[in-house]
Amino acid sequence: MIRIGSLRRRLFLWNTLVLTVSLIGLGFTIHLVVLSDLTKQSDAHLLVAADTAASLATAVLSQDAKTASQANDLIRKVHSGMGGSSQESAQIPGMDARSIDSRIKIFNPDGQLLFREWFKSRINDQPYDKESLQTALGGTPEFRSIQVGGDRFRLLSKPVLQDGNVRLVVQVAQSEAQTELGVQQVDHALLHMVPIAIVVAGLGGLFVSGASLRPVKRMVAAVRKIDAQNLGQRLTVEPDKELAELGTAFNLVLERLDSSFESQKRFIQDASHELRTPLTALKVNTSVALSGPPSLEEYRTALVGADRASDRMMRLVSDLLFLSRTDAKEIPLEMERVSVTESAEAVVEALGAQAKQKGVDLCQRILEDLSVFADRFLLDRLLTNLVVNALSSTSAGGKVSVMAARNDAIVEILVSDTGIGIPAEHLEHVFERFYRVDSSRTRNDGGTGLGLSICRSICEAHGGSIEISSRLNEGTTVKVSLRA
Ligand SMILES: Nc1ncnc2c1ncn2[C@@H]1O[C@H](COP(=O)(O)OP(=O)(O)OP(=O)(O)O)[C@@H](O)[C@H]1O
Ligand SMILES: [Mg+2]
């Protein structure tokens, strides 16, 4: 069905319009070519007739024909040689007998009629066309179309030169009826063929456009079936190049949607799972406190447990909020020049007690005073996360150091430890949300698996990057690159 505004309708209309204009143009060209061709043929015929008449006239004027009857005889011969009739009535059809009664007229250099093709009762000494005669008397042959008594004739006025002077002028006229008839026949054929061609090609175009849009309909039907439940479905890629590109692009969008949908699902599952642990702890502690008459000590233990659980929940929720806000680019950055040396010093100082308690040597070894253009609070949070990770993975006697160096327009901050290291298969996942190498152990330590995700978000928000390298049982180094 053709609907208003449909692509198929537009294709059909444009196709038909272009075809109509082209066919009309072609028809007009054919008309002109046929007209010019037939006129050329007629002109060639007039030229032969004029040349024959010219030789006749030259002969008559020479010694060959001295009397009028001899001249007349010669004229007859030439006329019959040219295919004319020997009857006086062999007048060109449609010609006005009073003005033109023969096809050939010959004039002397003064413009007076010498001969006509043959004599008739009503003699007309006038030239077929005076202007044309004058041109020929000037020595230039001329073809032109003339109108006589409502009919059109093709006329050749040809001078006969002798010693560079015009000796005679031959005028030969021929009806254009034949030419007009030929052109009319061609026009007639075109007038019938062009509309038929337009209708046939238009219907063909309609069929072709319908066939070429069929794969689009198939794609639309397939797309309609896709919803949130079956995002894993893919479109069949059609063989046509353009539709294959569309199908591939759509499949890529589906793939991205699918993976973001999946990661969102995983994120919600992970977040719920993470929240369940402290919630369970909270519930267990409150249940213990409420069951039976507990002692003061039991109350206290339950409250401490509940307090820890709510601390953990608060941390988890605030980390999640921070990540979702950086994802949505909602964290306003207060950019300023921040001394990396001072920041590192502050973090080392803040975590010094924790390191000492663990028996780990924590130090900063930044030799020059380096600064970056960053948000001070976020830089501190980044360094704290990295140092806390390093400390929790390093046992007594180990070492954690913060170093920094300038590399062109970049400041590289390195947080290294001599801790347990990360197995190679886990290394590429540690920046994922909720990812922990040893989930049971770190959960007991209080880790939620969001620290490195937050570090990466902070780096990206600053237009920087973060990398991690590690060797099992040897240690780990995290490199942060920020603009100086
Ligand atoms: N320096 C390190 N040495 C060894 N393992 C590390 C180091 N830093 C991170 N990891 C591993 O990568 C995991 C992810 O670290 P991340 O900081 O994201 O989470 P977390 O420290 O477990 O929890 P959170 O930082 O949210 O409290 C950690 O659980 C740990 O297994
Ligand atoms: Mg951490």
Side-chain angles (χ1 to χ4, degrees), residues 315 389 393 417 422 430 435-437 442 447-452 476:
R315 223 193 107 198
N389 274 357
S393 318
D417 63 64
I422 303 170
V430 290
Y435 195 88
R436 283 174 300 222
V437 174
T442 39
T448 56
L450 290 175
L452 285 179
T476 304

Side-chain angles (χ1 to χ4, degrees), residues 241-262:
K241 186 173 170 271
E242 294 80 2
L243 293 178
E245 277 174 19
L246 182 65
T248 312
F250 197 85
N251 281 343
L252 275 175
V253 171
L254 277 179
E255 214 159 295
R256 282 204 291 268
L257 276 177
D258 194 19
S259 83
S260 97
F261 205 71
E262 275 303 312

Side-chain angles (χ1 to χ4, degrees), residues 24 32 72 134 155 171 221 301 354 361 382 385 433 446 462 464:
I24 288 174
L32 290 178
N72 225 352
Q134 286 308 320
L155 174 72
Q171 280 200 325
T301 315
Q354 194 183 323
D361 173 22
L382 170 75
N385 274 359
R433 287 166 195 190
H462 283 81

Side-chain angles (χ1 to χ4, degrees), residues 6-20:
S6 78
L7 178 61
R8 194 177 173 201
R9 183 174 188 266
R10 278 210 303 280
L11 280 175
F12 167 70
L13 288 179
W14 274 110
N15 178 39
T16 314
L17 185 74
V18 169
L19 201 79
T20 308

Side-chain angles (χ1 to χ4, degrees), residues 128-141:
Y128 288 125
D129 182 79
K130 282 183 183 150
E131 261 182 50
S132 182
L133 177 66
Q134 286 308 320
T135 312
L137 284 171
T140 314

